[in-house]
Amino acid sequence: MKATLAAIAARIGTAAPATAFMEVGYNPIYTAGPGTLTQDLIKAAGGVNVVKQTGYVPYSAEQLLKDDPAVYFAMKGTESDPGVIDKRPGYAQLSA
C-alpha cells in the first residue's frame, strides 16, 4: 500500500489539488469527511475533500451543489452507481 501511495504521489507531482467528494450511499446521500479512510485516500491522491464534517455523515444535494467538487467518486454496484448519478436532478450543474 505504501508503494502504491508513493507511485500516486510521484504521478501527481506539483499538480494543483482538486476538490473531491465521495458518495458512499444515496437516498439519503452519505459521504465521508475527516477521520475516515476515504478522507485519507483523497488527501493521499492530492485532493481536497469538500466535506468538513467528521466521520461518515448525511449530506444534502443542495450542499453538494454549493460545494461543486471537481471530482466525484461513487461506489459502483450500489444506488450510487456512476452510471446513474448524472441523471439526478441538479447534478448536471456539477463541475465533476
Side-chain angles (χ1 to χ4, degrees), residues 15 19 25 29 31 34-35 40 48 54 56 59 63 69 73 82 87-88 92:
T19 56
I29 299 170
T31 189
D40 294 344
V48 176
T54 301
Y56 293 92
Y59 218 71
Q63 185 63 45
F73 296 103
K87 295 172 182 64
R88 295 178 186 164

Side-chain angles (χ1 to χ4, degrees), residues 1-8:
M1 194 167 172
K2 287 180 182 178
T4 301
L5 287 173
I8 291 170

Side-chain angles (χ1 to χ4, degrees), residues 12-34:
I12 294 167
T14 59
T19 56
F21 179 85
M22 173 63 172
E23 180 179 305
V24 297
Y26 181 70
N27 205 13
I29 299 170
Y30 262 82
T31 189

Side-chain angles (χ1 to χ4, degrees), residues 1-76:
M1 194 167 172
K2 287 180 182 178
T4 301
L5 287 173
I8 291 170
R11 289 184 71 188
I12 294 167
T14 59
T19 56
F21 179 85
M22 173 63 172
E23 180 179 305
V24 297
Y26 181 70
N27 205 13
I29 299 170
Y30 262 82
T31 189
T36 66
L37 175 61
T38 299
Q39 167 80 10
D40 294 344
L41 293 173
I42 289 171
K43 185 176 178 183
V48 176
N49 195 347
V50 298
V51 180
K52 304 304 178 214
Q53 296 90 340
T54 301
Y56 293 92
V57 295
Y59 218 71
S60 72
E62 294 81 11
Q63 185 63 45
L64 178 62
L65 292 170
K66 180 181 172 190
D67 292 338
D68 193 26
V71 179
Y72 194 106
F73 296 103
M75 297 171 61
K76 189 170 174 68

